[in-house]
């Protein structure tokens, strides 16, 4: 049983570019959340998707958008990248029946130069 | 958004010593989750606390939720080198996710 998978593992972009990160949830999970984790900091909640809709959102600008597909996989898109967007982006999945018990993927390390 | 304060930020102990991290909120929480993140790894779910005054144990780990549901703690008895990592609390207030605590980074001298 595969856990949460994310791609790519690492990514280098330049300021102003756009990036798309991908996440496949753990089998049986239908809820996906995205987090941004800067070095030495705790994960910051970006948004959560369930039934292909954004259900909750943290304090992130509209440059951060997402999507959930019918198979529950998800994408995180970031437009007009800033240097401050450099971070580890974590995807977490959970079953709706126990949405508090999140399983995190290994993350995508994004570097913006 | 609402914040929580997690203390201490860093803790270094000798192997075999105890360790405690605290998560404090200015508002009443619905529940709280605890996670562990090993160096270079991703957060791993440890436990959820829901009830006022709740205490849960996992082997050498003891988790507590305050009576007022504003505070929580994680205590590790007789630390081992495998306990190294950063411990985060993730509080929930109502249906709204709150920010993870800043984490307590635990290092251990063998």
């Amino acid at each position: 049983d595969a856990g949460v998978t994310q791609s790519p593992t690492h990514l280098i972009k330049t300021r102003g570019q756009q990036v798309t990160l991908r996440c496949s949830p753990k089998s049986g999970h239908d809820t996906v959340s995205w987090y941004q984790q800067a070095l030495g900091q705790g994960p910051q909640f970006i948004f959560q998707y369930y039934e292909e809709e954004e259900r909750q959102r943290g304090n992130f600008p509209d440059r951060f958008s997402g999507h959930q597909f019918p198979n529950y996989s998800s994408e995180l898109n970031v437009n007009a990248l800033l240097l401050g967007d450099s971070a580890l982006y974590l995807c977490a999945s959970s079953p709706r029946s126990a949405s508090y018990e999140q399983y995190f993927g290994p993350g995508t390390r994004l570097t913006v130069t | 958004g609402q914040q929580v304060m997690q203390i201490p930020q860093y803790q270094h102990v000798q192997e075999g010593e105890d360790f405690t991290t605290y998560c404090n909120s200015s508002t009443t929480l619905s529940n709280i989750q605890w996670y562990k993140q090993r160096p270079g790894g991703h957060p791993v779910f440890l436990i959820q606390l829901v009830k006022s005054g709740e205490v849960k144990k996992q082997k050498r780990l003891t988790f507590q939720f305050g009576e007022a549901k504003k505070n929580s703690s994680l205590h590790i008895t007789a630390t081992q080198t495998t306990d190294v990592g950063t411990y985060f609390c993730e509080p929930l207030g109502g249906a709204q996710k709150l920010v993870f605590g800043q984490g307590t980074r635990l290092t251990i001298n063998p």
Side-chain angles (χ1 to χ4, degrees), chain B residues 10-64:
Chain B
Y10 301 98
Q11 184 78 59
H12 180 76
V13 301
Q14 288 290 127
E15 187 174 14
E17 291 182 336
D18 292 357
F19 159 77
T20 304
T21 174
Y22 300 89
C23 189
N24 301 316
S25 171
S26 58
T27 60
T28 302
L29 304 172
S30 295
N31 50 59
I32 192 164
Q33 285 67 241
W34 284 92
Y35 290 80
K36 175 185 178 181
Q37 186 172 21
R38 292 180 183 273
H42 54 272
V44 174
F45 175 81
L46 294 176
I47 209 158
Q48 184 195 47
L49 302 172
V50 178
K51 300 177 183 177
S52 168
E54 188 170 18
V55 177
K56 287 187 177 180
K57 292 190 176 185
Q58 289 179 352
K59 296 182 181 178
R60 295 179 293 104
L61 277 61
T62 302
F63 303 84
Q64 290 189 315

Side-chain angles (χ1 to χ4, degrees), chain A residues 7-111:
Chain A
S7 63
T9 306
H10 297 86
L11 202 54
I12 300 175
K13 291 284 190 178
T14 55
R15 279 179 296 176
Q17 284 189 314
Q18 177 265 344
V19 69
T20 297
L21 310 181
R22 296 177 175 82
C23 170
S24 290
K26 181 178 169 64
S27 178
H29 288 186
D30 53 9
T31 301
V32 173
S33 300
W34 286 92
Y35 293 82
Q36 179 194 68
Q37 187 174 27
L39 201 60
Q41 302 294 317
Q44 305 291 305
F45 174 67
I46 303 175
F47 41 54
Q48 182 182 75
Y49 276 84
Y50 171 65
E51 290 185 338
E52 301 179 51
E53 288 191 15
E54 183 182 295
R55 299 294 176 172
Q56 294 186 50
R57 189 178 182 93
N59 294 325
F60 278 80
D62 292 344
R63 298 187 298 109
F64 290 77
S65 63
H67 189 76
Q68 186 180 35
F69 299 94
N71 66 353
Y72 309 121
S73 66
S74 178
E75 288 182 350
L76 163 65
N77 301 292
V78 187
N79 294 322
L81 285 167
L82 304 174
L83 294 178
D85 295 331
S86 295
L88 180 67
Y89 287 84
L90 294 161
C91 169
S93 74
S94 57
R96 196 61 189 167
S97 58
S99 60
Y100 59 86
E101 189 170 344
Q102 300 189 92
Y103 288 75
F104 281 82
T108 294
R109 172 71 63 185
L110 173 65
T111 302

